[in-house]
Amino acid sequence: MRHSSDSSLRPHTVTAAEVIPGDLLDPSEQDAAEHSWYVVMHTVPQDPETIRMTLRPPLGGTDHDEVLARSRRVTVAGHRVDVAAVPLLTSADLDGTAFRDGERVTSLRAVDPRAVEETYVRRWGVWHRDLENTSEPPLSDTELRERAENAVLRGHLVRHHARPRRSARGAAPRRVVVTGVGAVTPLGMGVTELWQGLIEGRCGIRELTGEEFAGLPVRVAGTVPVDPAGLLPRPQARRMNRAAQFGVLAAREAWQDAGFDTAGTVESGLEPERVGVSVGAILGDASVLVGGDRALRDRGPRAVSPLTTPMTVPSQAASQISLALRITGEARTVTSACASGTEAIGQAIDRIRYGHVDVALAGGAEAVVTPAIMASFASMRALSNHGVGEVSPSRPFAKDRDGFVNGEGAGFLLLEAEEHARARSARVYCEAAGWGLSADAHHMAAPDPSGNGVALALRRALKDADAHAVDVVHVNAHATATPDGDLAEAAALRAVLGGAVPVTANKGNLGHLQGAAGGVEAVATVLTLYRGVIPPTIGGTDQDPRIRLDVVRGTPRPLPSTGDLALSNSFGFGGHNAVLALRRVR
């Protein structure tokens, strides 16, 4: 950049005899053309005809002397510098330096007052100039040393910044870990059935054969193949709606998987008031209200069960889980459409982080495979018209996707403060590192095609986890197989992470479990990190070329070894966006 265009420097010529300490000096016309300035640190008469000046780059560096004739015309800037504020620095010699992740190397053209420092950060054994840009190839240690050496030869100031030590902060948020998982899904009862079904590429979507579904334009759904009421004590089961039954079974599995006694908090050696429940649900179970209304119309008010109201509210799953395990800390319910389960987990993470509880069961439960809901979704043209066959009717990211498949189930994580889990020698699946929310503010049902709202939630999840795009090794996508929704999510993933991160979607196996989707998919993401293998996406053989993501298909794939973060996405009608960030524990 030429001096004449720099109004802040206002260069002009003077004689060397007029130069004083603090002036910004261009000793030669060549330097002026290259925008090279030096601070005059001090001047000393060399003899009656010459002056010796000690010069230092204005942004810091080493000194050198220039001897100039007193009458010589030189260029100075109309700007004076405090010489005491200019640091005396030398470039680092990186030969033989043992680098560690988290360290930085900076390069600065210190003779240019307006220069911008270039920074490389070491992450996963390589050097990145931008931790959020996955498209720029990183540098190896050797390449970084070579680049630094060349920069020094060009007059740049190169510095090596060791990884900062963490200081103890009494008020710092606590680290949260996952110690248990539980699930009830269309693939069967329990986490084992879920994981094996995902790895084997099995489909749990079925044809709805009940008389109440006859005549509907779409009669396929992801239904749980076992009656949950038969797995619970009858007096309890008859007081729960179907979603609450799913929730209690999945929560109990996560509780027991974490090493706790299924009799409850006290029997597990826990303080009941230090344990919480956080459940995502949209409706819970709409069939109870429909049944009550039918009974009222057919047989009158006395035919309506007194259990209709408590079994209709979406909060029933949370209350029944707290009852089953005698949890008194809190029992909260989150309703944010299909993002409910993920947001419920995120809220539980914060409740533990900031000391409100030490342990929490968090996830989602839903049972909305009912005639009215199915008919409503069909009227919206949101459901897939593919039938049950060799290929799943739910086809995430596929060229022939045409809508989602309604489903039901429950999925829960057992979250703990890390010190609480370590104190009892619990097995840790992964860290619940962070989460992010946003809203599209676009349409009551359709996604924002730009994907900007989704991208904001992704970035917020990364920030909350103190992570960067280069740390992400896997994404469990929301991917409902709707034409517009999948494109919007893909655009957001490319914008934030690039297109090289391995992505999978579980809805080809399960259908869309609505408020429970985030909980079940969080379980799948936890197991992906813990077992080091990514389940394939099923449904459709040809990927839509507009997606431009690395979608895992066909067979499971090993999780990349560099990086440690996995994201689980959930996006709901009305523009609700939630992203969960989970970190591998090595």
Side-chain angles (χ1 to χ4, degrees), residues 138-339:
L139 302 178
S140 67
D141 288 346
T142 299
E143 291 170 328
L144 188 280
R145 288 189 177 96
E146 291 174 352
R147 180 161 296 194
E149 183 179 352
N150 290 332
V152 171
L153 293 175
R154 297 195 310 272
H156 287 226
L157 178 65
V158 173
R159 303 184 68 194
H160 175 227
H161 306 265
R163 184 175 62 191
R165 295 184 179 272
R166 290 184 178 180
S167 58
R169 295 177 296 171
R174 298 189 298 180
R175 192 168 180 239
V176 182
V177 296
V178 179
T179 58
V181 289
V184 175
T185 73
L187 289 172
M189 299 299 300
V191 167
T192 299
E193 287 297 314
L194 169 64
W195 182 249
Q196 287 301 317
L198 294 177
I199 289 296
E200 295 168 5
R202 286 194 276 114
C203 179
I205 296 170
R206 300 167 178 82
E207 186 175 353
L208 299 172
T209 57
E211 182 181 347
E212 68 272 26
F213 296 105
L216 291 180
V218 176
R219 294 185 298 279
V220 296
T223 54
V224 173
V226 179
D227 181 6
L231 302 176
L232 294 165
R234 187 176 179 185
Q236 294 179 19
R238 64 187 299 269
R239 287 173 170 78
M240 299 183 202
N241 63 34
R242 186 173 173 87
Q245 292 169 359
F246 291 152
V248 168
L249 290 170
R252 275 184 171 170
E253 183 184 18
W255 184 264
Q256 188 172 22
D257 184 48
F260 294 128
D261 191 322
T262 54
T265 50
V266 175
E267 292 79 2
S268 300
L270 299 171
E271 299 178 52
E273 65 272 19
R274 298 297 301 169
V275 184
V277 179
S278 184
V279 182
I282 302 175
L283 296 174
D285 184 352
S287 65
V288 176
L289 184 60
V290 171
D293 183 68
R294 184 180 295 118
L296 175 65
R297 287 186 283 106
D298 292 348
R299 303 193 300 278
R302 292 183 178 276
V304 179
S305 168
L307 296 175
T308 298
T309 297
M311 289 175 63
T312 296
V313 293
S315 60
Q316 218 223 359
S319 67
Q320 288 295 329
I321 292 168
S322 71
L323 282 167
L325 297 170
R326 289 185 286 174
I327 294 170
T328 64
E330 56 190 36
R332 61 177 56 235
T333 300
V334 176
T335 300
S336 52
C338 309

Side-chain angles (χ1 to χ4, degrees), residues 401 440 447-452 454-455 482-493 547 571:
R401 68 189 186 282
D440 280 356
D448 180 352
S450 72
N452 289 339
V454 172
T482 57
D484 294 337
D486 285 12
L487 285 176
E489 183 176 10
L493 288 172
I547 296 297
F571 315 121

Side-chain angles (χ1 to χ4, degrees), residues 373-400:
I373 296 296
M374 293 291 294
S376 174
F377 282 146
S379 295
M380 293 172 64
R381 299 183 179 178
L383 295 180
S384 172
N385 287 302
H386 294 301
V388 176
E390 292 185 4
V391 179
S392 171
S394 177
R395 302 177 180 181
F397 297 129
K399 187 184 297 185
D400 60 347

Side-chain angles (χ1 to χ4, degrees), residues 83-127:
V83 295
V86 183
L88 180 64
L89 301 170
T90 57
S91 287
D93 182 1
L94 301 182
D95 287 344
T97 302
F99 295 126
R100 299 187 302 164
D101 277 7
E103 295 183 335
R104 295 181 300 120
V105 168
T106 59
S107 176
L108 177 66
R109 189 169 183 265
V111 296
D112 184 349
R114 301 185 307 171
V116 176
E117 190 172 59
E118 184 177 72
T119 301
Y120 281 87
V121 181
R122 196 173 191 268
R123 196 90 165 178
W124 308 111
V126 291
W127 296 88

